[in-house]
């Protein structure tokens, strides 16, 4: 995986995290319950944390394996975006229950990405 792709992916996820965070804090605050808003914010936080990790990996002198890149990238999509979908669909009264099992798969991929960073360190 090239550094440019890793940095660009991190930048895109970071930018979207800021946009989604602002959207949640302003537009969604009026229509979501406190619990729903908290869940949405968890998705935004994890997205931003892992966007920063991608940026750090892309800017570092170490080689990042494709597996690490894909674990973080797909993990962000499955974890954070499934939370967004669950919260927004629940707010509309039509909760997309099929997304429920997607969130932990995304979380598992994020954990695996961190494990790969650890393994690659040694």
């Amino acid at each position: 995986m090239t550094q440019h792709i890793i940095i660009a992916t991190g930048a895109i996820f970071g930018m979207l995290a800021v946009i989604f965070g602002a959207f949640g804090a302003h537009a969604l605050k009026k229509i979501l319950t406190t619990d729903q808003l908290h869940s949405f914010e968890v998705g935004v936080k994890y997205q931003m944390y892992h966007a920063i990790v991608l940026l750090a990996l892309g800017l570092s002198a170490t080689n990042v394996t494709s597996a690490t890149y894909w674990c973080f990238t797909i993990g962000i999509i499955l974890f954070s975006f499934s939370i967004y979908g669950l919260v927004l669909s629940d707010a509309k009264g039509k909760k997309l229950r099929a997304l429920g099992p997607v969130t932990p798969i995304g979380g598992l991929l994020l954990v695996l990405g961190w494990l790969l960073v650890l393994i690659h360190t040694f």
Side-chain angles (χ1 to χ4, degrees), residues 1-109:
M1 198 55 52
T2 69
Q3 284 183 293
H4 297 294
I5 291 173
I6 297 166
I7 293 168
T9 303
I12 290 167
F13 281 134
M15 176 186 66
L16 289 174
V18 172
I19 292 168
F20 295 159
F23 182 65
H26 300 287
L28 295 180
K29 194 172 191 175
K30 298 172 187 171
I31 62 170
L32 297 181
T33 66
T34 303
D35 286 343
Q36 290 170 331
L37 190 58
H38 175 73
S39 292
F40 192 87
E41 289 170 352
V42 167
V44 171
K45 287 177 189 176
Y46 273 71
Q47 181 176 333
M48 182 58 85
Y49 298 153
H50 290 89
I52 293 168
V53 169
L54 285 169
L55 287 173
L57 290 172
L59 293 169
S60 73
T62 62
N63 288 328
V64 177
T65 65
S66 290
T68 304
Y69 168 80
W70 286 113
C71 282
F72 282 132
T73 300
I74 295 171
I76 291 168
I77 293 167
L78 295 181
F79 183 83
S80 293
F81 285 71
S82 67
I83 290 174
Y84 304 148
L86 284 165
V87 168
L88 294 174
S89 64
D90 188 35
K92 290 188 172 206
K94 299 178 183 178
K95 190 170 188 175
L96 296 173
R97 298 196 188 281
L99 290 177
V102 173
T103 307
I105 293 169
L108 185 59
L109 285 170

